[in-house]
Amino acid sequence: MMEVTLRQLRAFAALARTGGFTRAAESLHITQSALSGLIKELENQLGVRLVDRSTRRICLSEVGREFHSATTQVLRDLDAAVENVDNLKRLRRGIVRIAAPQLMSSTLVPEVIAGFRQAYPDVRIHLVDCAVENVITQALRGEVDISIGPQREAVAELVADPLFDLPFMAVFPPGHPLESLTHIAWEDLIRYPLISLQGQFTDRLSMDLQGISAVPPIRPSHEVAFMSTALSMVNSGLGVTTCLPYAQTLVDLYGLKMRPLAEPEVRRQFFVYQRQHASLSPAAQAFVHYLHEHIRQRTWGSTIS
């Protein structure tokens, strides 16, 4: 089996390009004897003469001319592949695919993407905003590089990287009776019509509260699919709601007040999920690092390093 080396191919290409051993050796920063040895090795490997030599000049044989055309393409493709990898490594190109819940996708994640794009303008970001129940599935199926979502039952195929741990907040209109309270307890909150999210949100919250306090069962007056709907209803005076501090920008947009909930304090832990045995691209690694740094610089709640 022939074992043609990359050094032999580059030596042959340089010789064909310069037309002489001296200039070819200089272009490769090797001695003329070393270059001559590489050409001889290549010819021996192939079993044909590639270069016709004379005392004044060299020229390619008929086989050499045909082989040179193929060699040029191979080296061009290889150099392009190496440059492509280098660009990915240096974040001069690349794409990061992220899945995040709808609320996070309309508040925290765009802030992170905007800052990351300023630092790495050549990296493209593809955001999948979806229902919180579908976030982990996106990473599990390999449809995204990473998913950002709340704690769920451990999945063997996924790695869960802790991102932050935040408390629930009460959200209400300006001038609401809750605004006059020094501390807002869950018992205070559920005296008013509660607008909650559909799905597992209310069930998980009820389980948390029952496990650590004597707060009466939560019975929402309205259950909606999106937090933006809940905030709009609160803005219209239809009730109060709860959310996590990362939604501050959206709460402010609706002109609402947000205060910590106590007695008891209920928290939610969020993670960055990725497939167990799938390494992240340099761009995705950089994004995860930037995400953690962004969270550490935020003033709301406590974070997990």
Side-chain angles (χ1 to χ4, degrees), residues 9 16 20 29 31 50 71 73 96 103 109 126 152-153 203 267 280 290:
L9 293 181
H29 305 290
T31 64
L50 299 175
T71 299
Q73 186 62 49
V96 184
L103 175 59
V109 176
H126 178 59
R152 290 293 185 263
E153 294 296 328
D203 293 338
R267 306 181 71 88
L280 293 178
Y290 187 90

Side-chain angles (χ1 to χ4, degrees), residues 210-233:
Q210 289 173 11
I212 56 180
S213 73
V215 176
I218 294 178
R219 294 186 175 87
S221 58
H222 299 279
E223 290 189 76
V224 297
F226 302 107
M227 182 55 69
S228 56
T229 304
L231 295 177
S232 179
M233 294 177 73

